[in-house]
Amino acid sequence: MPTKQQLLDELKKEMEENTTLPLSDTANFVFGEGDADAEVLFIGEAPGFHENQQQRPFVGLAGQLLDKLLGEINWPRESVYITNIVKRRPPENRDPLPEEIEVYAPYLKRQIEILQPKTIATLGRFSMNYFLPETKISRDHGRLLKASEQLIYPLYHPAAALRSTAVLEDLRKDFHKLPHILATGTMPFENRAEAQPYDPVKEEPKAQQDSLF
Ligand code: URA
């Protein structure tokens, strides 16, 4: 029985060799990295300039902020898995096109099937909308949602947080809830939301949560 890492290596090779995939003629391939047995998978949108150069996800300024936030919750970067929907850099860092997302989507699906993470933390609206097309990042960030049976925790993109201190505050607040979410599969109690279009995963009863802290 192959290990998750072996299956990821096979998928990576298959994708790298497929030069018909979008952006193959203009950009390097950035598959993703981290612990194949990670319980949390972070998904961004597409590589940027530095990611393209180093062929690693989230290594530029946005990546440095991601690393800092991971440090704040004592999660080594190597203990999670980090990838993007689109695996090659769009020119001039433009948004990925719907047809690019569509072609890369089945590969991301396979990557997720191999990793089987407990929770997927989406970074920015593109990866959030990949799972939950009707969601809005300003409304739904920091809410634990379900897409099929998969737990999705939408976060602001770190690049957006670099442009706005208000967004950074929200991202940090949401990020700090990740250990609780991973440990319990539920939101901390105080995060109860009013309108819940996606049947978000319910919070724990207060008594139970008090005992955790
Ligand atoms: N932005 C992303 O969405 N992904 C990266 O890997 C880097 C920046």
Side-chain angles (χ1 to χ4, degrees):
M1 175 97 165
T3 63
K4 287 185 179 184
Q5 188 58 59
Q6 286 167 334
L7 293 170
L8 288 172
D9 289 345
E10 278 170 28
L11 179 62
K12 180 179 177 185
K13 188 163 178 283
E14 177 190 328
M15 291 185 76
E16 208 158 18
E17 288 173 356
N18 184 350
T19 52
T20 68
L21 289 176
L23 307 165
S24 293
D25 46 356
T26 54
N28 291 324
F29 179 64
V30 185
F31 182 66
E33 66 181 23
D35 183 352
D37 294 307
E39 295 186 320
V40 178
L41 168 62
F42 289 89
I43 305 178
E45 97 193 25
F49 176 83
H50 296 283
E51 290 75 21
N52 179 57
Q53 280 200 326
Q54 297 182 38
Q55 293 195 260
R56 296 179 58 205
F58 283 96
V59 290
L61 279 180
Q64 285 169 29
L65 176 56
L66 178 62
D67 290 352
K68 185 169 185 298
L69 292 167
L70 285 168
E72 289 176 14
I73 58 171
N74 294 316
W75 285 7
R77 180 180 163 111
E78 307 71 46
S79 71
V80 301
Y81 200 93
I82 305 171
T83 192
N84 287 298
I85 311 180
V86 169
K87 309 292 201 224
R88 292 181 191 264
R89 180 193 181 211
E92 312 299 327
N93 291 351
R94 65 155 167 73
D95 289 344
L97 303 173
E99 54 267 34
E100 290 165 350
I101 292 176
E102 197 184 317
V103 176
Y104 279 103
Y107 293 96
L108 178 62
K109 185 166 182 281
R110 285 168 62 191
Q111 205 172 14
I112 295 167
E113 279 164 4
I114 295 169
L115 288 163
Q116 293 183 341
K118 270 194 186 169
T119 305
I120 293 177
T122 55
L123 297 168
R125 69 189 164 93
F126 282 93
S127 58
M128 179 187 69
N129 287 148
Y130 166 88
F131 293 100
L132 299 160
E134 302 299 319
T135 47
K136 285 182 80 156
I137 192 81
S138 55
R139 181 192 62 196
D140 295 317
H141 71 85
R143 304 171 76 188
L144 189 60
L145 306 173
K146 262 191 181 174
S148 306
E149 279 312 292
Q150 182 71 63
L151 288 184
I152 307 292
Y153 188 54
L155 297 169
Y156 275 117
H157 197 290
L162 289 171
R163 293 190 293 267
S164 154
T165 46
V167 171
L168 175 59
E169 263 177 45
D170 280 346
L171 174 59
R172 174 168 278 128
K173 222 186 284 168
D174 296 342
F175 216 94
H176 283 216
K177 290 176 182 147
L178 271 167
H180 181 96
I181 289 170
L182 185 60
T184 65
T186 64
M187 288 302 291
F189 182 74
E190 77 275 10
N191 208 55
R192 186 167 43 209
E194 301 304 326
Q196 310 202 329
Y198 278 99
D199 186 22
V201 177
K202 297 289 182 296
E203 306 78 13
E204 296 188 340
K206 183 124 181 70
Q208 223 177 317
Q209 197 227 339
D210 282 346
S211 68
L212 281 167
F213 292 98

